[in-house]
Amino acid sequence: MFVDERIVTLFKRNAHHTLTYWSVFFSFGLCIAFLGPTILDLQCQTNSTLSQITWVFFSQQFCLLIGSSVGGVFKRTLFSALAALFVSALVISIIFAIIPLCNNVLLLAIAMAVSGLAMGVIDTIANIQLVTIYQKDSAVFLQALHFFIGFGALVSPLIADPFLSETGCGNHTGNGTEIMHHFRNMLRNSPIAEHNITQSDLPHEGGAEESNVHYAFWIMALINLPVPIAVLYLMYREQLIPCCPSGTPRLLDKDELAMENQQGAEGTDVEQKEHEAGGHGDIFSCCQNDNLRGLPVSFFMIHILGGMVLFMTDGIVGAYAGFVYTYGVAPPMSLPHKTAGYLASIFWAAITAGRLLSIPLSYRFQPVRLLMFNIAGAIVTVLMLLIFYTSSIFLFVGTCLCGLFLSSIFPCMLAYTEDILDYQGCATSVLVTSAGMGEMVMQVVVGSIIQTEGSYSFLLCGMIIACIGFIVFIGLLLFHRMHRNYLTGTASTTSGFTLLNIQCRRMDFVLREVGPLRTKNKCKTELSSL
């Protein structure tokens, strides 16, 4: 069969939990993607500049980072985990409903900060719960989990697009666009084209088009409402709501019973590993774990370099989704606003399709190979976008390819590092936190550079970030090899020690009454030499 029967049985055993965690990531996707296509309308709504509205991205991503860092606190019990997911999903619907009422940047930034906290909690808890449930089989289910991010992020721009204003308002990229455009034409030794590139700088008159984007936010609030209801229903099924006791739990079929017995036999070992190496708690408790002191440098470098790769790649995702619309409406592209609005939809559609495609691929190929292919593909795609920067057709094609290559890097990296570390340490918390930090920092940095240097710098930033991420990934591969050698040496030493200890115990038993004392001393000497 295409999928192992054991995987199917494991999914059937945990189907309700898995589907619920997937649904909350749909909420995550809805909330992460709407800012890109609506940024100019929100700029009009708040009477702000592009550099000011960019800080709304920062507030969301900064609080997402905080939520991701402390989200592991709620994983201590199933009730606390599900309760946190319920509150977070409900908060996202509420934020969608009140965004149209935010008439200045500060209020909008506060609303986005609250949504960022909710998103961070969802991100950490859903990842941790799936890794805890499926352990070494989690790669397939993590790919599906992140597919739902892409699905929610695809739906969000599609809902917003019909309500976007056709003209926009405000200063999109400032005078930096004109300067950069002039510089590019000097490099090509051709005269500067005669066209008005500062038309967007003119203030709108009284006949300016009124934005109806608030309807899009209210629609997204309604679409998201079934998600907290689904979490509440799971709590009811698990008898976690004291005032609503559920019925008798169903009996397990023979396959599920066998899987349950296997998980029960392995449960003690897993809990012991988590206790010894920090488990998958929040990042602060991981850093304070005393049992990490005796571990090799490679153990910590895998955490650091894996986080740095996601810092770069997720930073590209956040920056591209946030500013590809702004890049599309600015010269030299100068696309109509509604046409450029489809860029974000295409990007998230490609991410969704890529994550769906990665589900069977992750079952057939090792995560490290998928990572190598995806990062290299992203670099080549951005390079082609730089070469054909005047082609609007290739902008859409490149956006699609970029989304496909970037789609599965996060779940592949999560599965890869957890497998290297044998599901010990704090890889999940570190990677989720690093990814959120990358989106936060890169959106602010890229937005500021676009404001000062022009729209062409958008692609240059992407190219530089992708190359740095690839170099860091090569370093991760080297430390993986070092860590594997360390584990091999430790395992051989432990095996030799255990074998000699058994032999000495047997010899001690046989010679307990008649054997000379020097035989026992010889064993002690050999053991101490190890």
Side-chain angles (χ1 to χ4, degrees):
M1 293 180 62
F2 185 72
V3 179
D4 192 348
E5 191 67 28
R6 184 177 58 85
I7 299 293
V8 176
T9 303
L10 190 60
F11 173 72
K12 288 167 60 179
R13 176 68 185 93
N14 302 281
H16 196 175
H17 284 263
T18 304
L19 293 173
T20 303
Y21 299 143
W22 288 350
S23 70
V24 294
F25 256 46
F26 174 80
S27 293
F28 187 99
L30 273 180
C31 205
I32 204 172
F34 75 88
L35 273 179
T38 62
I39 185 171
L40 298 183
D41 288 86
L42 292 175
Q43 181 182 342
C44 296
Q45 176 181 307
T46 57
N47 295 318
S48 59
T49 64
L50 180 63
S51 59
Q52 291 173 336
I53 202 71
T54 299
W55 287 99
V56 175
F57 286 102
F58 177 83
S59 66
Q60 183 190 49
Q61 295 299 328
F62 179 73
C63 290
L64 192 155
L65 173 64
I66 295 176
S68 299
S69 301
V70 303
V73 173
F74 300 103
K75 69 106 188 182
R76 300 182 187 278
T77 64
L78 182 61
F79 172 77
S80 61
L82 293 180
L85 290 178
F86 169 73
V87 172
S88 299
L90 185 61
V91 163
I92 288 177
S93 283
I94 296 173
I95 293 299
F96 276 134
I98 66 174
I99 282 177
L101 306 178
C102 301
N103 293 322
N104 60 69
V105 175
L106 181 59
L107 290 177
L108 183 61
I110 292 174
M112 297 312 301
V114 175
S115 70
L117 285 173
M119 293 164 62
V121 171
I122 288 174
D123 197 8
T124 298
I125 291 180
N127 278 290
I128 288 177
Q129 292 297 105
L130 278 186
V131 170
T132 302
I133 290 173
Y134 293 107
Q135 293 291 313
K136 289 186 177 295
D137 299 309
S138 60
V140 175
F141 301 98
L142 287 173
Q143 294 286 1
L145 179 73
H146 290 269
F147 160 79
F148 280 89
I149 290 184
F151 181 59
L154 167 64
V155 170
S156 186
L158 289 177
I159 294 173
D161 186 73
F163 302 99
L164 297 177
S165 62
E166 189 63 46
T167 57
C169 67
N171 183 7
H172 301 326
T173 58
N175 293 330
T177 299
E178 182 176 2
I179 297 171
M180 199 68 186
H181 185 66
H182 176 74
F183 178 69
R184 292 198 307 270
N185 282 278
M186 289 177 60
L187 291 178
R188 293 181 305 188
N189 295 319
S190 63
I192 301 174
E194 295 292 333
H195 57 81
N196 183 9
I197 61 175
T198 58
Q199 184 177 359
S200 61
D201 295 341
L202 298 176
H204 286 265
E205 304 296 334
E209 181 183 356
E210 182 180 356
S211 174
N212 295 316
V213 75
H214 53 277
Y215 292 117
F217 293 117
W218 292 337
I219 292 173
M220 285 186 276
L222 292 175
I223 290 177
N224 187 67
L225 273 181
V227 176
I229 295 175
V231 178
L232 191 64
Y233 180 65
L234 178 59
M235 296 177 67
Y236 169 77
R237 283 286 303 271
E238 293 292 331
Q239 301 183 3
L240 297 176
I241 304 178
C243 60
C244 302
S246 63
T248 305
R250 65 179 180 87
L251 298 177
L252 303 177
D253 59 36
K254 60 180 182 180
D255 292 333
E256 292 176 331
L257 184 59
M259 185 66 66
E260 178 74 9
N261 292 334
Q262 180 182 356
Q263 290 178 341
E266 297 174 353
T268 304
D269 295 336
V270 172
E271 290 178 0
Q272 180 67 23
K273 286 181 179 180
E274 289 186 353
H275 177 73
E276 291 176 355
H280 295 88
D282 61 278
I283 193 169
F284 301 113
S285 62
C286 289
C287 295
Q288 296 172 356
N289 194 336
D290 294 334
N291 294 318
L292 298 179
R293 293 179 179 176
L295 294 172
V297 176
S298 58
F299 180 87
F300 300 100
M301 290 305 298
I302 288 171
H303 283 83
I304 295 172
L305 295 180
M308 288 179 64
V309 172
L310 290 186
F311 181 91
M312 301 299 172
T313 56
D314 271 51
I316 295 175
V317 172
Y320 200 95
F323 296 107
V324 67
Y325 171 77
T326 305
Y327 173 77
V329 299
M333 289 298 175
S334 301
L335 296 174
H337 284 247
K338 289 189 179 296
T339 302
Y342 288 112
L343 286 169
S345 299
I346 291 174
F347 180 70
W348 287 111
I351 287 182
T352 305
R355 285 171 176 169
L356 184 62
L357 181 64
S358 297
I359 295 173
L361 289 179
S362 64
Y363 182 72
R364 296 293 181 182
F365 299 99
Q366 294 179 346
V368 63
R369 296 190 176 185
L370 294 176
L371 283 168
M372 180 72 73
F373 177 77
N374 287 332
I375 297 175
I379 292 175
V380 173
T381 301
V382 178
L383 178 61
M384 297 299 290
L385 283 169
L386 279 168
I387 295 174
F388 300 103
Y389 71 93
T390 58
S391 173
S392 59
I393 295 177
F394 192 79
L395 176 61
F396 282 88
V397 174
T399 298
C400 181
L401 292 175
C402 195
L404 285 173
F405 287 121
L406 292 171
S407 61
S408 60
I409 291 179
F410 182 90
C412 282
M413 180 61 71
L414 184 59
Y416 174 56
T417 52
E418 287 283 15
D419 188 53
I420 294 174
L421 302 173
D422 197 23
Y423 297 86
Q424 302 182 46
C426 309
T428 300
S429 296
V430 171
L431 295 184
V432 170
T433 302
S434 300
M437 186 182 296
E439 291 192 32
M440 173 189 70
V441 173
M442 294 305 175
Q443 283 180 340
V444 174
V445 170
V446 173
S448 300
I449 294 176
I450 292 175
Q451 176 73 19
T452 57
E453 302 296 334
S455 61
Y456 189 74
S457 59
F458 168 70
L459 297 177
L460 282 175
C461 291
M463 186 66 188
I464 294 171
I465 296 169
C467 290
I468 294 174
F470 186 78
I471 294 172
V472 174
F473 177 69
I474 298 300
L476 176 63
L477 296 180
L478 296 176
F479 277 98
H480 175 202
R481 190 170 185 175
M482 292 174 55
H483 192 66
R484 183 173 54 192
N485 294 337
Y486 166 79
L487 293 178
T488 303
T490 303
S492 61
T493 303
T494 304
S495 299
F497 178 84
T498 303
L499 180 60
L500 186 58
N501 191 24
I502 293 174
Q503 292 175 347
C504 288
R505 286 179 180 274
R506 289 177 178 175
M507 188 177 295
D508 181 67
F509 175 77
V510 173
L511 303 177
R512 182 175 298 166
E513 302 296 334
V514 297
L517 182 63
R518 58 188 176 86
T519 303
K520 300 179 183 179
N521 293 335
K522 180 181 179 181
C523 287
K524 292 180 180 180
T525 303
E526 293 180 355
L527 285 172
S528 61
S529 65
L530 292 176

